[in-house]
Amino acid sequence: MADDLLQLKTPVIAILRAPTAHRFVEVTAVLHECGITAVEFTLTSAGALDALRDYPGHSIGVGTVLTAADAGRAVAAGAAYLITPIVSEEVITEGRRLGVPVISGALTPTEIHRAWTAGSAMVKVFPASVGGPEYLKAIRAPLPDIPLVPTGGVALDEARAYLDAGATALGIGSPLLGDACTGGDLDALRDRASGLCEQLC
């Protein structure tokens, strides 16, 4: 699965976060239809693991994983990979024990290197909006071999700039999803997702 994450057709991980996950399956179907195959269901969304169980046979990740217990519950529900907002060696170790790649969240060069050497499959640069594409480019200079996934405040019109700065993939939430996860227009989501895929592919 780690290799699959590094070779995404569209280099985007769509982040689904809402008060409840009641619409996650519908939203994921639209994203997959448009070519965005990597999707994250966040544990802060009530019912996220139930939604994951309702969407079998697809490579869905679980985000906001903070503990080994979170990791175990997510993998038991079918998570193909785990995403954290922090560097948690506990989560990385449990993910490796369970055979599931972990994308750890980090911001500084020290944190990014620590996450990578601890066994993260990729490192989520979070929140990316703090430094933008120029910060990512600066990080890539001394750490060229670490696959980086800027996340948090990545605007759709900045997506190409992040990739040009050296991002392996992008974690994008509300700029892509809008209000789709809370009952919003799925056709509008389809338009945004298709436009993003055309921009990046």
Side-chain angles (χ1 to χ4, degrees):
M1 186 62 210
D3 288 343
D4 291 343
L5 283 173
L6 290 169
Q7 298 173 11
L8 295 172
K9 177 182 176 183
T10 303
V12 171
I13 300 172
I15 303 165
L16 276 57
R17 187 185 305 278
T20 73
H22 76 280
R23 214 179 188 204
F24 280 13
V25 170
E26 291 175 80
V27 167
T28 299
V30 171
L31 292 168
H32 282 178
E33 171 192 322
C34 295
I36 296 175
T37 57
V39 179
E40 170 189 342
F41 289 6
T42 53
L43 285 180
T44 51
S45 305
L49 296 184
D50 290 331
L52 180 58
R53 293 185 189 97
D54 290 340
Y55 208 71
H58 295 272
S59 295
I60 307 295
V62 170
T64 322
V65 175
L66 300 176
T67 66
D70 287 343
R73 291 189 300 115
V75 173
Y81 48 94
L82 306 171
I83 303 177
T84 78
I86 58 173
V87 181
S88 170
E89 294 184 11
E90 172 186 341
V91 171
I92 296 168
T93 299
E94 185 67 1
R96 296 185 71 172
R97 186 184 75 80
L98 295 170
V100 175
V102 175
I103 302 174
S104 295
L107 182 60
T108 68
T110 298
E111 292 169 345
I112 290 167
H113 185 263
R114 178 182 160 207
W116 180 244
T117 56
S120 294
M122 303 166 82
V123 180
K124 177 173 82 170
V125 180
F126 175 79
S129 59
V130 169
E134 287 303 312
Y135 179 73
L136 190 79
K137 184 177 180 180
I139 292 294
R140 289 285 296 166
L143 301 173
D145 298 325
I146 301 177
L148 302 177
V149 185
T151 304
V154 175
L156 299 185
D157 61 2
E158 292 181 312
R160 172 51 62 186
Y162 276 105
L163 293 180
D164 290 345
T168 298
L170 310 171
I172 306 180
S174 56
L176 172 61
L177 277 301
D179 61 358
C181 291
T182 55
D185 187 349
L186 292 180
D187 287 333
L189 169 62
R190 187 174 286 105
D191 289 344
R192 289 190 298 273
S194 296
L196 182 61
C197 289
E198 288 174 9
Q199 178 192 160
L200 300 181
C201 295

